[in-house]
Amino acid sequence: MGQTETYGALAGRILLALIFVMSGINKIATPEATQQYMASHGMTTATGLLYAGAIAVEIGAGLALLLGYHTRRAGLLLALFLVPTTLIFHTDFGDQNQFIHFLKNLAIMGGLLYVSVYGPGPMSVDAREQARQHSEAVEAGRG
């Protein structure tokens, strides 16, 4: 894999992860406003639990994606997370801003699905772990 692919995959992961990590941090910084916004969109039952779950997914899977750790799973989890998020919060197509957010989320889902299928690239924890396992297998075969 060339430098373009190596650094391109890293940059792509960073840019995809950034929106989730920052969103999770924002939710932590503004808990009341976030939960009120959720309730205003019909999430009136277990709002606190859904709020905590959103933070865990956004920050946990976002950091995993950023680091390239269990990247395929993290990408798929975030893509699946975006499905209800998009359908609950961004379907007022009469509002141009919401329509743009809807399309933005579809584009992000596309990027996450791409990462889920093709993996993190060589500059990742996953690639380092795979190389370590391969090296151990080679050593075991010689011993």
Side-chain angles (χ1 to χ4, degrees), residues 20 23-25 27-29 31 50-61 81:
F20 293 101
S23 180
I25 290 169
K27 284 176 178 59
I28 292 170
L50 293 169
Y51 164 78
I55 291 170
V57 168
E58 287 178 334
I59 292 180
F81 171 79

Side-chain angles (χ1 to χ4, degrees), residues 24-133:
I25 290 169
N26 185 58
K27 284 176 178 59
I28 292 170
T30 59
E32 296 84 15
T34 300
Q35 290 179 66
Q36 287 174 357
Y37 182 73
M38 293 168 70
S40 75
H41 282 79
M43 301 177 75
T44 56
T45 305
T47 305
L49 183 63
L50 293 169
Y51 164 78
I55 291 170
V57 168
E58 287 178 334
I59 292 180
L63 289 174
L65 182 65
L66 180 73
L67 298 171
Y69 178 73
H70 291 280
T71 310
R72 292 173 191 258
R73 290 181 186 142
L76 186 57
L77 176 62
L78 289 168
L80 292 172
F81 171 79
L82 278 179
V83 172
T85 301
T86 302
L87 294 175
I88 291 168
F89 297 105
H90 303 301
T91 55
D92 180 7
F93 298 135
D95 179 345
Q96 182 69 22
N97 188 42
Q98 290 306 311
F99 184 64
I100 291 169
H101 282 291
F102 180 85
L103 293 175
K104 169 199 54 100
N105 282 10
L106 292 182
I108 293 169
M109 280 186 243
L112 291 166
L113 291 174
Y114 195 88
V115 169
S116 295
V117 171
Y118 292 103
M123 292 186 71
S124 64
V125 173
D126 290 345
R128 178 174 277 182
E129 180 62 19
Q130 187 177 19
R132 185 190 63 76
Q133 289 173 354

